[in-house]
Amino acid sequence: MLAATLAASEYIHTQLYIDGYRFIHVIGPLFLLQADAAFAVAALLLLAAPLLLRIAAAAIAIGALAGFVASRTIGLFEFTERGLQPAPQTLLSLIAETLTLLTVVAWQAFEVRRHRRTRPHHDATSRVRRDLRTTTPDR
């Protein structure tokens, strides 16, 4: 699922870059950088999914969402947009990046729970008192 959400984000950003964002100073190259990073991480996630790649996936999604918010509020490198334009790419991109973050959070929560279940549980009743330890007899 994580590779799929990143691939969707990559596709949308590549499409927007080709459709005209490539002519926007600074923003165009940032769209291409986001698309390339999302593609690379998605491809690597198909091979393995270590924590570092999951963090990279989250960082890509956070960067795209931050760019979206900045471009609609304070502007980003003198570039501003309004609402959910261009449609439907903006909404689809927001969905893909949000799903990327939710997938990473859910995955990490699962990993933490799994680690807790497999870790040996030590409580006060499982401790062996030193004075009750048995010794092996000499032969």
Side-chain angles (χ1 to χ4, degrees), residues 1-10 32-61 100 104 107:
M1 168 98 170
L2 188 54
T5 60
L6 281 172
S9 178
E10 175 271 330
L32 193 57
L33 177 65
Q34 190 280 346
D36 290 345
F39 177 79
V41 173
L44 290 171
L45 281 166
L46 293 175
L47 301 174
L51 178 60
L52 183 60
L53 285 179
R54 296 191 308 263
I55 291 170
I60 290 166
T100 296
V104 169
W107 195 330

Side-chain angles (χ1 to χ4, degrees), residues 31-112:
F31 264 66
L32 193 57
L33 177 65
Q34 190 280 346
D36 290 345
F39 177 79
V41 173
L44 290 171
L45 281 166
L46 293 175
L47 301 174
L51 178 60
L52 183 60
L53 285 179
R54 296 191 308 263
I55 291 170
I60 290 166
I62 289 169
L65 290 170
F68 172 82
V69 170
S71 72
R72 278 146 180 85
T73 55
I74 59 172
L76 187 63
F77 302 106
E78 300 178 7
F79 176 76
T80 58
E81 290 184 300
R82 301 279 179 238
L84 293 177
Q85 295 302 319
Q89 294 92 338
T90 299
L91 181 59
L92 295 173
S93 181
L94 288 172
I95 291 169
E97 278 118 26
T98 301
L99 285 175
T100 296
L101 288 176
L102 291 174
T103 302
V104 169
V105 168
W107 195 330
Q108 280 309 114
F110 173 78
E111 289 291 322
V112 167

